[in-house]
Amino acid sequence: MTATMVKTTYREALREAIREALQRDERVFLMGEDVGAYGGCFGVSLGLLEDFGPERIRDTPLSESAFVGAGIGAAIGGLRPIVEVMTVNFSLLALDQIMNTAASLQHMSGGQYAVPLVIRMTTGAGRQLAAQHSHSLEGWYAHIPGLRIVTPATLEDARGMLWTALEDPDPVLVFEHGSLYNLAGEIAADAGPVDLDHAAVRRPGDDLTLITYGGTLGRTLEAAEELAGAGVSAEVVDLRTLRPLDDATYLGSVTRTHRAVIVDEGWRSGSLSAELSARITEQAFYDLDAPVERVCTEEVPIPYAQHLEEEALPQVRDIVAAAHRTLGEQP
Amino acid sequence: MSDFTMPSLGADMERGTVLEWLVAPGDVVHKGDPMAVVDTSKAAVEVETFADGVVVDLVVRVGSEVPVGTVLAHLGPVGAAAPAPAPEPAPEPEPTPEPAEVAAQEPAATTGHQPVVHSPLARRRARELGVDLASVAGTGPGGEITREDVEAAAPAAPPTPSTVPEAAPATTPAARGAGRPRVTPYARKLAREMGVDPAAVTPHDGETVRASDVRAAAIAAPAPAAQAPPPPAPPPGAPPPTGAPRPTAAATRAQTMRETIARLMARSKREIPHYYLTTTVDLTDALAWMREQNAGLPIAERLVPAALLLRATALATARHPALNGFWVDDAFVPGSGVHLGVAVSLRGGGLVAPAIHDADRLTVTETMAAMRDLVTRARAGRLRGSEMADPTLTVTNLGEQGVESVYGVIYPPQVALVGFGRVVERPWSVDGLLGVRPLTTLTLAADHRATDGFTGGRFLATIDDLLQHPEEL
């Protein structure tokens, strides 16, 4: 069965996902800074105000704490809000609402109040937006029990993760890497909801496992291609969901390849990559043929200058070099 | 008996200094009596005892700064006779390089007493430095022996040379012990499964034994101990493989061996670009010399032509090291010695190629003895793990089967295989005169990635030349 393929972009796929949710469930609404008249800071919600009206596409004041809190209230009250936060850096203003309220309320209320809230936000660097708009803090959120953290890295996931997230009775945070919005390609015309439970093998291989997610998936696949040119067969695992982690998939891969390189645009210390490395060591120690390697962002505020920003971020050459180190070779 | 310890006088207090002792050995104290004045670095505080008793001894002398929890004094039960002359908390004569914060315990007090060591690091250092833990005074909480205590005790007890890495490379931590290369966890597991001693594996990068090195070592032993019949006892240090089926019937054994050979030979032909060279060697002089030798030897020690051929091959291999070793991960790794694998066909099918170690250093007679021994034990299934592990070049002699030449398949990851055919009498021209001479066909199958035909040709010429001067073998 070959489904009809249609051309789309990551941005359009997200928009279609929101549109579908608005159509399928009248409890769903979108709320955030400039999501209405302006069409969203990254253009995701362009045109939705015209189609669904100001009741369901709501512009909010510049107060992350207030509108995330309002979203939590709406979710408790029976609605299914999609809250857009412009960037993950700004989400810190709403961190109290996200962690102390959204993630905790189910527990604090003894199970009386679930918070079926979806928060979308842009993450990541690479667009010369400097240190206050560029950080990758999804790993921080993945630290918090009570949240589900998803990172669509493909058109299918951009299209399909939102509906499943809305179905989840608990808060789900969707991290959209800023470099992905213009990602273009084809997806099945009838592409729909996808699961949020499993990591995906994006490229099979035998010699080592490259583990990544979100914005670094593309560069990791490029690195795998380059490694293939050098006769190294790298498997690429896209985590997709950062909390809860799908241990079975990436550990299964590492157990088979015996080598792991983690590629994470977050900072290295106390990070998601550290968590992955620890789990690999805890659960696959006797299958490791080399120390786990990590390719992360330099531990600096993301620089504005283009060459410095590039230098700070994980690049293909860094991934390739780390891969060769796990093989005990000079690249 | 109870201990009076350095108390924590505030959440942030980690250490305290004894400013003054308010009691002396022999004093009777009651719960709540001040025992000592302690400086917490914020204030001088009188510290009371929580137990009744008689002060047996004062362990820490005035002015010493010790961690919270350190035993400061011992209390004995009230009514018990006060111990005779209690040791003064004066500085002990025993020199310790570190600031001696705690008076060293009397050795008498520690004998018959388990040293308190919970730290694996301290235990390891003690092992490395050859320190007897029972002789170390602990300065940690509760008399715990710390790494510093062990290291401080080390000069007094000089380490035994065998336990100290001689000259550990700068890049490897000295703690690695005995300068052995480190082994990855997976390589260690694989080695156990394959019946390889990881300590005997040479890492291709010189530092870390990885899975590929273990596989190379296992393959170098053509019929791995884990699968093939030969050694009934696995090599020392290698527990019996858990995953491998334990063949009971000879048929199963033969089949397992067949599969191993199949895998190896298929790999060889798939991966190794073989080239083949042949030369005919005139054995007239060699055999005449051999007969001369045999005349003076007891029957059990008499030479056979194969011994001379092996000996000549060993010497030639030593002179052409490019053919002696392994092709691993796209590079040639020279063998650590000339270990000639001798292909031995087994009754009931299959073959093994155990090694004669350092064959270039044996005399012809010793080569003969080694060969006889190896063949006997191979056929009896009594080879040793080390013999299976590391041939650096294999020799096959199908002459006794009557064939004139053998173009062998290289045992990966070795890079060459030498074959000898039957010794046949043929018309042969020497210096323009035709005569009937004993000849053998000498062949070389070599890995073209490691060497070129030029090297192979010179190698065969060397063997030929050596066989023309048997008295020098």
Side-chain angles (χ1 to χ4, degrees), chain A residues 116-182:
Chain A
L117 167 73
V118 172
I119 305 176
R120 298 173 38 241
M121 54 182 112
T122 306
T123 186
R127 294 156 296 139
Q128 278 200 278
L129 294 178
Q132 291 165 324
H133 300 72
S134 298
H135 289 141
S136 292
L137 305 181
E138 52 276 7
W140 280 11
Y141 285 103
H143 180 65
I144 303 173
L147 300 180
R148 180 183 286 270
I149 309 299
V150 300
T151 56
T154 63
L155 298 175
E156 284 77 10
D157 280 352
R159 177 68 181 81
M161 279 185 162
L162 181 72
W163 180 257
T164 320
L166 284 164
E167 299 276 280
D168 194 307
D170 293 315
V172 178
L173 272 55
V174 182
F175 286 88
E176 301 158 7
H177 195 281
S179 67
L180 293 175
Y181 287 118
N182 290 325

Side-chain angles (χ1 to χ4, degrees), chain A residues 11 33-35 38-45 84 86-87:
Chain A
R11 176 185 287 110
E33 289 158 359
D34 282 335
V35 299
Y38 185 69
C41 188
F42 295 96
V44 171
S45 53
E84 177 178 310
M86 203 180 289
T87 77

